[in-house]
Short mmCIF file of all heavy atoms in Angstrom, two decimals:
data_model
loop_
_atom_site.label_atom_id
_atom_site.label_comp_id
_atom_site.label_asym_id
_atom_site.label_seq_id
_atom_site.Cartn_x
_atom_site.Cartn_y
_atom_site.Cartn_z
N PRO A 7 34.83 79.62 83.00
CA PRO A 7 33.51 79.87 83.62
C PRO A 7 33.36 79.22 85.03
O PRO A 7 32.70 79.81 85.88
CB PRO A 7 32.60 79.28 82.56
CG PRO A 7 33.33 79.25 81.34
CD PRO A 7 34.83 79.17 81.64
N GLN A 42 38.88 88.22 73.15
CA GLN A 42 38.08 89.43 72.85
C GLN A 42 38.66 90.61 73.67
O GLN A 42 37.97 91.51 74.05
CB GLN A 42 36.61 89.24 73.20
CG GLN A 42 35.88 88.36 72.18
CD GLN A 42 35.49 87.01 72.76
OE1 GLN A 42 35.17 86.94 73.89
NE2 GLN A 42 35.55 85.97 71.91
N PHE A 66 43.55 75.44 78.44
CA PHE A 66 44.42 76.27 79.20
C PHE A 66 45.76 76.61 78.50
O PHE A 66 46.18 77.75 78.39
CB PHE A 66 44.74 75.63 80.59
CG PHE A 66 45.82 76.27 81.36
CD1 PHE A 66 45.65 77.45 82.01
CD2 PHE A 66 47.09 75.76 81.34
CE1 PHE A 66 46.67 78.09 82.68
CE2 PHE A 66 48.16 76.34 81.99
CZ PHE A 66 47.95 77.52 82.65
N SER A 101 55.38 56.99 83.01
CA SER A 101 55.40 58.48 82.80
C SER A 101 55.55 59.18 84.15
O SER A 101 55.23 58.68 85.22
CB SER A 101 54.07 58.89 82.17
OG SER A 101 52.98 58.53 82.99
N GLU A 323 100.13 114.82 76.70
CA GLU A 323 100.93 115.35 75.56
C GLU A 323 102.03 114.47 75.21
O GLU A 323 102.66 113.89 76.09
CB GLU A 323 101.41 116.73 75.99
CG GLU A 323 100.27 117.80 75.91
CD GLU A 323 100.77 119.12 76.37
OE1 GLU A 323 102.01 119.33 76.29
OE2 GLU A 323 99.96 119.95 76.77
#
Side-chain angles (χ1 to χ4, degrees):
Q42 285 110 37
F66 167 78
S101 57
E323 283 179 22

